[in-house]
Structure formats: C-alpha cells, structure tokens
C-alpha cells in the first residue's frame, strides 16, 4: 500500500481525535510491524509541533505486556501519545501512568493499514453522540442483561463500577481512547450466565459461522468450549492463577460507520449495535484485576436490558 494513502486517516487521528496543538509535545509509539502507520502519524504530528518523537521497539509477546522502560518514559512525558502497536498497550501501567501525568492517549492495538483506513474514515463527533445516547440509557442501572439468538443469557451486576465512553475525541488532559473508537463499556463487579461469541475473537479472527460458548459464575469464566481460547487463558492462569478467567468487560459498540465485521477485534468491537464481552484484565478500565491478558469476544445480534428494560442500540441510518 502506498504510504501516502495513510495520510488522511492520520490527519483524522492527529487533528480531530487528539487535537494536537503547536505548543504541545507528541510521542508516537509503534513497533516493527506497524512502522508505516506510526510513520504516517508522526509525519502529520511533526507538521503541527516540532516537539514530536517517534519511538519504535520490537513487538511484545502478548496483549497488555509492558513496553520497555524508555518507551514508557516517552509516553509519560508527552502531552499527546499515539500507540499503533501489534500488541495492545491499552491495559498497561505505561498507558495508565501517561494518563495520570496528564497525557492524552490514543492506543491502536493490532491496527492494520486496512483497518486504519476504514476505521478512521468516520465522523467522530457523531460517534460521540451515539456514545452519549447509550450511556443515558444504562448509566443508572444496577443490572444489565444480555441475550442473543445464539444462546447468550448473561446478567451483569455493576455495583459501584462506572460506565466509560470511548468516543475517539481525546481533547482533555488525562483522557484515553482506542482508535478506531466507538463504544460504551464497564468492568462489572460480577456476572452469571452464558455468552456465545459469533462475531470476532482472538486468536481466531472473524468466526464465519463458528460459535464460541462461555459459562460464567460469580464473575469468572468456568467453562470454555473452544480449545484455542481456553489454551490462551490457561497459559495466563499458570502465571497469575484464577484471575486470568475474570469476566472483565461488557462493551456496547457505537460506531455506525462500521457496517460489517472484518476480523479485527479493534475495529469489530466498535461496530454499532454489537456487544463485546472480555475475559482477563480490567484494572485499566475501572476494575481491580491486573493480569497480562484481555480477550474480547463480539456478539452480533444482542439484546441489552438495563434493569429489565430493553435499550435502543445504535445502528446505521
């Protein structure tokens, strides 16, 4: 792909989403496999501010793995951070500490050039409006139930946990978003029931007719009918114990520009009208479980109830 084609989505990220200013510093953090995207972002950033650094390091082994100390230092001392990386930095101390220091951060975990072009070709002001409309329907609920024709029937107890917005608009100090963006999400205190993933999930990508079933009890996944997903979680559990099976996240997609799944969790979990449920780490999104794994599975035909009342999910007009 001609790298010049990456300029337009890079401009959307730098200008509309992050609102980088000439008197600010910017750190673009990438790895060897995402170099072209990182370079496109750094090129646009450097046209706005002379205080732009481009930091590249070898890809990590797993999502949520901490980057090298010099990379974390660059993130922590910048006003704006963009991280197009093979393995996600979203659920790392490096990202959390950068936000705590006042940085505006956008992570782009697992981003490909195709997803970069497709996912950043969107009106993020409109996506923010969809996020706010969903939040208004769920923010005061104590219990969320999700069902689907594939056999999902799971209930989440929210307790004191608060919903968060991933709008793609990151204009205030300490804010963070994934890009491409578009979701409303929460780290539930507990969950019970069954969920069936029929959309996209690592390590498979787009499932194309396959369904992955998970049994959940008291906030932990207790049964997984897919050997590949189970193998990944079991490997993490050998290191950290039962917390690897923590029911970590409930998310609702709000990006109506994403009209079909492409096999990228980063993009597909944002698709308007979908739900994603994640297992593993939630410490960076309002929970208290800190483990080196976070696996999202996407449900394509969910019905969501807030305290027993069905909510209206975003959809393309």
């Amino acid at each position: 792909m001609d790298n010049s084609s990456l300029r337009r989505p890079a401009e959307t990220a730098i200008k509309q989403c992050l609102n980088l200013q000439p008197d600010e510093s910017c750190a673009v953090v990438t790895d060897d496999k995402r170099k072209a995207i990182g370079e496109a972002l750094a090129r646009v950033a450097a046209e706005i501010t002379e205080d732009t650094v481009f930091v590249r390091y070898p890809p990590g082994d797993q999502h949520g793995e901490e980057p090298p100390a010099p990379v974390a230092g660059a993130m922590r001392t910048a006003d704006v951070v963009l991280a197009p990386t093979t393995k996600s930095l979203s659920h790392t101390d490096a990202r959390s500490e950068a936000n705590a220091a006042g940085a505006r951060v956008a992570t782009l975990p697992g981003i490909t050039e195709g997803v970069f072009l497709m996912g950043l070709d969107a009106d993020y002001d409109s996506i923010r409006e969809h996020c706010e409309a969903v939040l208004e329907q769920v923010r005061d609920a104590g219990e969320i139930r999700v069902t689907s024709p594939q056999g999902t029937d799971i209930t989440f107890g929210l307790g004191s946990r608060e919903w968060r917005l991933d709008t793609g608009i990151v204009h205030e100090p300490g804010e963070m978003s994934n890009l491409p963006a578009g979701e409303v999400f929460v780290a539930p205190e507990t969950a019970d029931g069954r969920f069936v993933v029929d959309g996209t999930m690592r390590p498979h990508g787009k499932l194309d007719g396959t369904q992955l079933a998970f049994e959940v009890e008291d906030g932990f996944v207790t049964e997984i009918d897919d050997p590949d997903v189970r193998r990944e979680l079991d490997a993490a559990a050998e290191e950290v114990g039962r917390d690897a099976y923590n029911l970590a996240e409930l998310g609702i997609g709000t990006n109506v520009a994403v009209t079909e799944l492409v096999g990228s969790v980063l993009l597909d979990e944002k698709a308007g009208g979908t739900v994603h449920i994640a297992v593993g780490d939630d410490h960076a999104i309002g929970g208290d479980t800190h483990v080196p794994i976070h696996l999202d599975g996407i449900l394509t035909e969910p019905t969501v109830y807030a305290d027993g009342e069905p909510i209206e999910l975003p959809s393309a007009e």
Side-chain angles (χ1 to χ4, degrees), residues 36-309:
I37 295 172
E39 288 178 338
L41 290 165
R43 192 174 299 116
V44 172
E47 293 172 1
I48 297 172
T49 174
E50 295 181 356
D51 196 357
T52 295
V53 296
F54 178 73
V55 184
R56 180 162 59 100
Y57 68 101
D61 294 326
Q62 60 189 356
H63 297 281
E65 182 179 339
E66 295 296 329
V71 175
M75 295 171 66
R76 190 169 55 250
T77 56
D79 296 309
V80 169
V81 177
L82 295 104
T85 53
T86 304
K87 300 299 183 181
S88 176
L89 297 183
S90 301
H91 302 272
T92 61
D93 290 338
R95 194 278 301 166
S96 298
E97 290 170 4
N99 279 144
R104 307 196 300 281
V105 180
T107 57
L108 298 84
I111 191 77
T112 65
E113 293 178 13
V115 170
F116 190 59
L117 288 166
M118 182 187 306
L120 272 296
D121 185 17
D123 179 356
Y124 278 91
D125 289 323
S126 174
I127 290 170
R128 177 169 55 184
E129 291 174 1
H130 284 296
C131 286
E132 291 170 348
V134 170
L135 179 63
E136 185 63 28
Q137 297 178 80
V138 299
R139 70 190 320 159
D140 295 325
E143 182 179 278
I144 300 291
R145 180 187 176 204
V146 178
T147 64
S148 77
Q150 291 74 26
T152 297
D153 193 344
I154 184 168
T155 300
F156 302 88
L158 304 188
S160 61
R161 304 283 174 81
E162 294 185 0
W163 290 90
R164 300 187 178 197
L165 303 184
D166 182 29
T167 66
I169 301 297
V170 192
H171 291 182
E172 298 298 325
E175 288 187 337
M176 179 264 181
S177 180
N178 274 151
L179 289 179
E183 66 171 292
V184 179
F185 59 99
V186 67
E189 285 196 356
T190 189
D192 290 277
R194 171 185 173 89
F195 68 96
V196 181
V197 176
D198 66 308
T200 299
M201 188 168 192
R202 289 191 293 262
H204 299 289
K206 188 176 179 180
L207 295 179
D208 287 326
T210 301
Q211 298 179 5
L212 314 178
F214 300 76
E215 300 290 338
V216 181
E217 184 176 347
D218 292 333
F220 289 90
V221 170
T222 56
E223 294 183 30
I224 307 167
D225 74 353
D226 178 76
D228 295 315
V229 175
R230 185 171 60 247
R231 188 177 302 114
E232 290 207 8
L233 289 169
D234 287 349
E238 290 180 3
E239 178 181 349
V240 299
R242 187 188 185 204
D243 282 351
Y245 307 103
N246 173 57
L247 200 293
E249 178 186 5
L250 166 64
I252 300 171
T254 61
N255 189 332
V256 297
V258 182
T259 56
E260 61 181 63
L261 305 189
V262 301
S264 163
V265 170
L266 172 65
L267 183 65
D268 293 353
E269 70 176 4
K270 310 303 192 316
T274 64
V275 156
H276 55 279
I277 298 172
V279 185
D281 184 86
D282 63 13
H283 87 282
I285 59 172
D288 54 17
T289 298
H290 193 168
V291 294
I293 192 167
H294 181 91
L295 293 180
D296 293 277
I298 296 151
L299 288 60
T300 66
E301 299 180 276
T303 300
V304 180
Y305 302 86
D307 286 340
E309 294 295 324

